Amino acid sequence: MRKYALEVVSSLKWILKVVRGFLWRSRKALLLIVLGLLLNVVPAKLAIFFGIPLFLDCLGTVLTAMLGGYLPAVIVGFGVNAINGIAEPVAMYYGVLSIFIAVVATFLFRRGFFKSIWKLLVLILIFAMIGGGIGSIFTYALYGFNFGEGISAPFAIAFHDLMHWDRFTSQLCADVVIDVFDKSVIVLLSALIYHFIPNHVKEYLSEVNFARGNSAEKASFSNSLLNKVVLMVIVAEVLLGGLAGIIGLFLYRDNSINNYISTARGVTESALIAIDAERVDEYIVRGHEADGYDRIKRILEQIRKSFPHTKYLYVYKIMEDGCHVVFDLDVDGEAGGEPGSVLEFDPSFLPYLPKLLNGEEIEPIISDDQFGWLLTVYKPLRNAAGKTVAYVAADVSMESIVRDEAMFFIKLLSLFFGLSIIIMMIVFELMKRGIVIPVNKMSYAAQKIAGATMRANYALDMGFDLDLSRMRNSVNDVASLGIKSKDEIGQLYDYFNAMTDDTFNFIQKVHDQNLRIQRMQEVIIMEFAEMVEARDKCTGDHIKKTAQYVEAIAKELQSEGKFRGILTDAYIHKLKQAAPLHDIGKIAVSDLILNKNGKLTDEEFAIMKNHTTEGGKILQKIVDDAKGAFDADYLNESIEMACYHHEKWDGSGYPNRLKGEEIPLSARIMAVADVFDALIAERVYKKGFSYEKAMAIIMEGAGSHFDPVVVEAFTHISKSLYDARTKLSSEENPAK
C-alpha cells in the first residue's frame, strides 16, 4: 500500500512539474491573453456606461492578433464571449464570429493591411461584414429580427421609412452601418496602440507569435507538412461537425416528437375525462341541443388552449361509412365539423382503419396533407362496458419543430466550431513547435549536407582534391541545432546528427566501396547465371554464344540505322550484359525435365514454359531487393529477355502471347539469337543443323516467329557468326 501511495505522490509531483513548466514557458502568451481580454471587456463596458453607440468588444482581439498571432487572438476572441456568457448565455453562440475576426485580423496583419489607409478601409469593411452582416443574419436565424431595437434602431427605422426597404433588409443594412463605425474605431485604435508600443515590448512578446523564425524556417513553411495537417484537420473537423450536427438534429427531433406525443396524449386524456361516453350517440344525433353539449365543447376549448402546439382537437365515431363527428372545435376562424356529419377517411389513416373499426388503440401518426404537417394521437373513448364508442384525437402542429431544429442546429454548430477551432489552433501550434520547426531545421541542414556531399562525390569522380571544410561546417550546423526533445523527433535528430558525422568521416571509403561492391555483385550474378545454365547438360556454352549473337545483331541493326534512339552504345552494352540471364528461370525446372533425352510431353512442356515467368520473377526480386544499392540498369533488360524471349511476332508465343512491337526489342533480338544457337548446337539427342538449314528455318519464321527487321539484319552477319563458332569448336575439340 505504501508503495502505491509513493507512486501516486510521485505522479502528482511529475504532473505539477509539467504544469509549472508549461505555465512558465507560456507566461508571455498568458500575459498577452489577459491584456487582450481586458481590452475587450473594459472599453465595451465603458461604452455601455457612457451610452456610446458602439460595441468596442474586439479591440483586444485585433491587437492580440497583431502581437501574438492566431492562437492568442482566437483565445481572446472566444474568451470574451465565454465571459459575457456567464451573465448572458446567448453570447456564447456568437463566439464563432469573434474567432473569425481573430483569424482574419492575424491573416491580414501579416500581409501589411495595417500599413496603408486604403487597406485599412478594406479591413474595416471585412470586419463590418463579419460582425454586422453575418452577425445580423445569425441573430435572425436564431431569434428573428427585433426590428427597431438596439443600437442600430435609428438606422433601421430610417432605411425602412425613407428607402421603403423591407424590415429584413433595413435591419441588416443598419447592423452593417453601425458595425462600420464600430470597427473603424477598433482598427484605428489598434493601429495607434501598436505603433506606440515600444519595440522591446514587441520583442518580448515576439516568441508568442509562432510564425516568426529564421528565414529557413519561414521559407519551409510555404510547403510545410503542417499545411497538409491543417487541411486534414479542417476537413476532419468539418466532417465531425456536420456529423455531430446531424446526429444532434436527429436526437433533437426524436426528443421533440416524444414531447409532442406526450402533449397530445395529455390533451386526449384530459378530454376523455370531460366527455360522457354513454351519451356519444345522443351527441351525434342532437348535437348542440343535447344537454351539456356546449359546456363540454367549452371545456375542450380550454384543454386545447392549455397545451401548446395543439392545433386540432376533435371526437369522432369511426364507422364503415366514415368518421361521424361528435365534437370538432373551430380553429382560427375555420369552422369545425357539425355534430353528426360524416367525413371521409384521410388516406394516411387507411392502414389503421381495421384497428379503428375494432376499437383498438393505435400508435401516434405523423401525416402531411391538406391540414398541414401534423402529429395525431388517437385515444379510444370507452363506455362502462369497455366498448369503444368513439375516439378522441389531438393534432399537434409539427411546423414549429423545423424552426426549433434550425435554432438548435445553429447553436450546436456555433459552439462546436468555436471550441474546435481553439483546439485546432492549440494542436497546430504544438505541432509547429514540437514537430514542424525541428524537422524544418533538420531539413535545411540536410540540404547543406547533401550539397556538400554532392560536391565531394564530384571531386572524387573527377580526381580533384577534397575540400571538406564546407562539409565540416554543415556537420557542425547540424550539431548546433540543439534539439533536446525526448520523443521520436529527438531520436530522429540524434540519429541524423550521428549519420551526418559518419557521412563526413567515411565518404571517401563509401565511394570506393561502392565501385567494388557494384563490380562484385555483377560478377556474382553472372556466375549464378552460368551455374544455372550448367544444370542443362545439353546447352554447353549457350549463354556465352547467345550473348555474342545478341551484341552482334544489335550492332548490325545500329549500323543499318534501325531503331534509332533505342540502339545506343550504352543500350547495346546492357543487352550484352543481360543476355546470359535470359534462361535463369530454368532453376525452377526439374532436372528430369531439363535433361530429358527425348521429346517432352505436353505436361512437361507446360512446366518448361514456366521458366520465362520464373526467370522474370527471380530477376525482379534481385532488382527489388537491391533497392538502388548498385547501378545495374541491364537487369531491367534481362527481365524483359527472360520473360519474353519465347514470344512470337504473330502473337502465338508464350507466356503472354504478345505480338509485334508489343514484344520488347531486347527479347526480339534474343529470340533470333537463342533459336539460331539451339539449331546449330549439338545435343545428345541430335546433331547440330547445318548453317543452310538453320538459316532456312530462321528466315521461314520471319514475320511469324521473329521480327522481320531483326532477321534481315541477322542474315547479313549470320555466316560470319557461324564460321567463328565452328572454328572455335574445332580448336577446343581437335578430335572432332
Side-chain angles (χ1 to χ4, degrees):
M1 192 70 180
R2 176 181 174 83
K3 178 181 177 181
Y4 292 127
L6 291 175
E7 290 180 355
V8 171
V9 172
S10 177
S11 299
L12 290 174
K13 288 182 178 179
W14 180 82
I15 292 173
L16 290 174
K17 181 179 179 181
V18 171
V19 172
R20 185 169 61 250
F22 173 78
L23 293 176
W24 175 252
R25 290 191 301 272
S26 306
R27 63 191 184 279
K28 297 177 183 179
L30 294 174
L31 175 62
L32 182 60
I33 290 171
V34 171
L35 293 175
L37 289 173
L38 289 174
L39 285 174
N40 272 348
V41 174
V42 174
K45 298 299 181 183
L46 291 175
I48 295 173
F49 181 79
F50 290 106
I52 302 174
L54 296 173
F55 302 108
L56 302 180
D57 56 352
C58 61
L59 175 62
T61 302
V62 176
L63 193 59
T64 303
M66 299 167 71
L67 291 170
Y70 287 107
L71 179 58
V74 165
I75 293 176
V76 169
F78 191 81
V80 69
N81 290 91
I83 293 172
N84 293 332
I86 297 174
E88 190 178 359
V90 71
M92 286 289 292
Y93 301 130
Y94 292 87
V96 68
L97 300 180
S98 299
I99 290 176
F100 288 160
I101 290 176
V103 171
V104 171
T106 306
F107 181 81
L108 296 181
F109 172 74
R110 293 177 178 177
R111 283 150 184 80
F113 269 71
F114 284 79
K115 297 179 180 180
S116 165
I117 296 297
W118 294 109
K119 289 183 177 180
L120 281 178
L121 293 176
V122 173
L123 185 64
I124 290 169
L125 290 175
I126 294 174
F127 285 166
M129 293 306 299
I130 294 174
I134 300 178
S136 184
I137 296 172
F138 198 68
T139 301
Y140 175 76
L142 287 174
Y143 314 107
F145 276 130
N146 294 321
F147 180 77
E149 298 181 8
I151 297 176
S152 60
F155 293 99
I157 295 172
F159 289 144
H160 183 266
D161 294 342
L162 299 178
M163 306 298 294
H164 302 292
W165 292 345
D166 60 81
R167 293 191 173 191
F168 178 91
T169 306
S170 300
Q171 187 67 53
L172 177 64
C173 293
D175 289 339
V176 172
V177 168
I178 198 67
D179 225 61
V180 167
F181 290 112
D182 178 65
K183 296 306 183 288
S184 298
V185 174
I186 287 173
V187 169
L188 294 175
L189 281 176
S190 300
L192 190 63
I193 294 172
Y194 183 83
H195 177 74
F196 285 103
I197 292 177
N199 288 331
H200 69 275
V201 175
K202 295 177 183 176
E203 289 297 324
Y204 178 78
L205 297 174
S206 63
E207 291 185 8
V208 177
N209 196 330
F210 292 93
R212 297 181 182 179
N214 59 47
S215 58
E217 292 167 7
K218 288 183 178 180
S220 62
F221 283 153
S222 60
N223 295 311
S224 172
L225 60 89
L226 185 64
N227 294 337
K228 300 177 182 178
V229 174
V230 169
L231 180 60
M232 288 189 293
V233 173
I234 289 175
V235 171
E237 284 293 327
V238 171
L239 293 177
L240 286 174
L243 182 62
I246 293 172
I247 293 174
L249 204 60
F250 279 114
L251 294 176
Y252 182 84
R253 173 171 290 187
D254 288 342
N255 183 65
S256 298
I257 291 175
N258 290 333
N259 289 336
Y260 280 21
I261 290 174
S262 298
T263 298
R265 283 175 175 166
V267 173
T268 56
E269 288 171 359
S270 300
L272 287 173
I273 298 173
I275 302 171
D276 186 352
E278 308 296 336
R279 301 180 60 194
V280 166
D281 291 335
E282 180 186 354
Y283 295 150
I284 292 175
V285 175
R286 299 184 60 192
H288 295 280
E289 296 179 0
D291 185 31
Y293 183 91
D294 291 333
R295 179 180 61 82
I296 295 174
K297 190 171 183 179
R298 287 193 297 271
I299 293 173
L300 295 178
E301 289 279 3
Q302 292 298 323
I303 292 173
R304 187 186 65 181
K305 293 178 180 179
S306 300
F307 289 87
H309 307 302
T310 303
K311 189 172 183 180
Y312 300 109
L313 178 58
Y314 47 93
V315 182
Y316 291 164
K317 183 174 183 178
I318 309 298
M319 300 181 70
E320 294 286 350
D321 59 341
C323 300
H324 292 251
V325 176
V326 182
F327 292 96
D328 194 359
L329 305 184
D330 300 339
V331 177
D332 298 331
E334 179 185 349
E338 288 297 322
S341 59
V342 181
L343 304 178
E344 293 182 0
F345 294 115
D346 189 275
S348 59
F349 288 84
L350 290 178
Y352 307 96
L353 188 56
K355 287 188 175 183
L356 293 172
L357 291 173
N358 290 332
E360 301 176 22
E361 290 198 21
I362 63 173
E363 293 296 320
I365 302 170
I366 297 178
S367 61
D368 191 359
D369 50 32
Q370 68 269 24
F371 298 106
W373 187 24
L374 302 173
L375 169 70
T376 304
V377 171
Y378 270 61
K379 274 288 186 180
L381 177 63
R382 295 188 172 95
N383 59 18
K387 179 182 178 181
T388 300
V389 295
Y391 281 93
V392 178
D395 290 339
V396 177
S397 175
M398 298 284 286
E399 294 177 357
S400 57
I401 284 184
V402 177
R403 295 190 298 270
D404 294 343
E405 283 178 347
M407 292 174 59
F408 172 80
F409 189 71
I410 293 173
K411 290 178 180 178
L412 176 65
L413 291 186
S414 64
L415 289 177
F416 177 86
F417 284 114
L419 294 173
S420 63
I421 288 173
I422 294 177
I423 294 173
M424 281 193 295
M425 289 293 182
I426 294 173
V427 172
F428 294 157
E429 299 299 350
L430 291 176
M431 285 190 62
K432 194 183 295 183
R433 279 294 181 95
I435 298 177
V436 176
I437 289 178
V439 169
N440 283 338
K441 288 180 177 179
M442 285 189 284
S443 175
Y444 183 66
Q447 293 177 20
K448 297 172 66 177
I449 291 289
T453 303
M454 290 176 61
R455 286 189 292 271
N457 277 324
Y458 178 76
L460 288 171
D461 291 340
M462 301 302 295
F464 299 153
D465 293 334
L466 285 175
D467 180 12
L468 295 179
S469 60
R470 296 182 65 178
M471 189 171 184
R472 167 50 71 186
N473 292 335
S474 300
V475 173
N476 291 337
D477 289 342
V478 174
S480 66
L481 295 179
I483 299 173
K484 299 179 180 179
S485 60
K486 302 299 181 183
D487 53 14
E488 289 85 349
I489 297 296
Q491 294 177 10
L492 176 63
Y493 169 68
D494 292 337
Y495 293 135
F496 177 64
N497 192 15
M499 181 189 69
T500 55
D501 195 54
D502 290 343
T503 301
F504 174 77
N505 292 329
F506 297 106
I507 187 169
Q508 293 182 359
K509 294 180 181 179
V510 169
H511 184 270
D512 294 338
Q513 288 173 355
N514 280 344
L515 294 177
R516 292 195 297 270
I517 290 172
Q518 178 181 345
R519 179 57 186 160
M520 181 178 65
Q521 287 170 331
E522 291 179 3
V523 170
I524 290 173
I525 291 175
M526 295 300 297
E527 292 295 332
F528 175 62
E530 291 187 1
M531 180 181 67
V532 172
E533 200 68 37
R535 292 178 61 241
D536 189 346
K537 298 176 182 179
C538 298
T539 56
D541 56 358
H542 176 66
I543 62 171
K544 295 179 181 178
K545 293 300 182 183
T546 51
Q548 294 172 5
Y549 297 161
V550 165
E551 181 184 24
I553 295 171
K555 286 184 176 180
E556 178 64 21
L557 288 167
Q558 183 188 45
S559 67
E560 294 178 6
K562 306 296 175 57
F563 305 110
R564 294 181 182 275
I566 299 178
L567 287 174
T568 62
D569 290 341
Y571 182 77
I572 294 174
H573 180 68
K574 287 192 294 182
L575 291 182
K576 182 181 179 181
Q577 288 180 293
L581 300 175
H582 73 280
D583 273 338
I584 198 171
K586 288 183 178 180
I587 195 173
V589 180
S590 168
D591 287 343
L592 297 176
I593 298 175
L594 194 64
N595 295 306
K596 181 178 179 179
N597 187 7
K599 186 177 180 180
L600 299 178
T601 65
D602 291 343
E603 292 79 6
E604 290 170 338
F605 184 63
I607 295 173
M608 176 63 79
K609 289 195 296 183
N610 287 335
H611 82 277
T612 56
T613 54
E614 292 298 326
K617 291 178 181 178
I618 292 170
L619 295 171
Q620 186 63 57
K621 189 173 188 306
I622 293 173
V623 173
D624 294 340
D625 290 345
K627 294 180 180 178
F630 60 93
D631 183 15
D633 291 0
Y634 69 90
L635 286 179
N636 294 322
E637 309 304 328
S638 68
I639 292 172
E640 292 182 346
M641 284 186 180
C643 286
Y644 309 121
H645 69 281
H646 283 292
E647 298 285 358
K648 295 183 179 181
W649 185 257
D650 61 3
S652 62
Y654 63 87
N656 295 332
R657 302 184 69 84
L658 301 180
K659 63 186 300 185
E661 294 187 356
E662 293 177 354
I663 307 169
L665 178 60
S666 58
R668 297 187 334 246
I669 295 174
M670 172 54 74
V672 174
D674 189 41
V675 172
F676 179 73
D677 186 70
L679 291 172
I680 66 175
E682 185 176 341
R683 298 288 187 263
V684 294
Y685 55 85
K686 77 171 184 70
K687 290 185 177 297
F689 289 1
S690 66
Y691 168 76
E692 290 75 12
K693 185 175 182 180
M695 285 306 299
I697 295 173
I698 293 292
M699 295 177 68
E700 183 182 356
S704 57
H705 188 160
F706 309 112
D707 182 347
V709 176
V710 176
V711 171
E712 181 183 1
F714 181 64
T715 59
H716 301 157
I717 59 173
S718 57
K719 181 59 175 170
S720 61
L721 292 175
Y722 179 82
D723 292 341
R725 177 186 176 90
T726 304
K727 180 180 178 182
L728 179 62
S729 178
S730 299
E731 292 175 353
E732 292 177 349
N733 300 282
K736 292 186 178 181

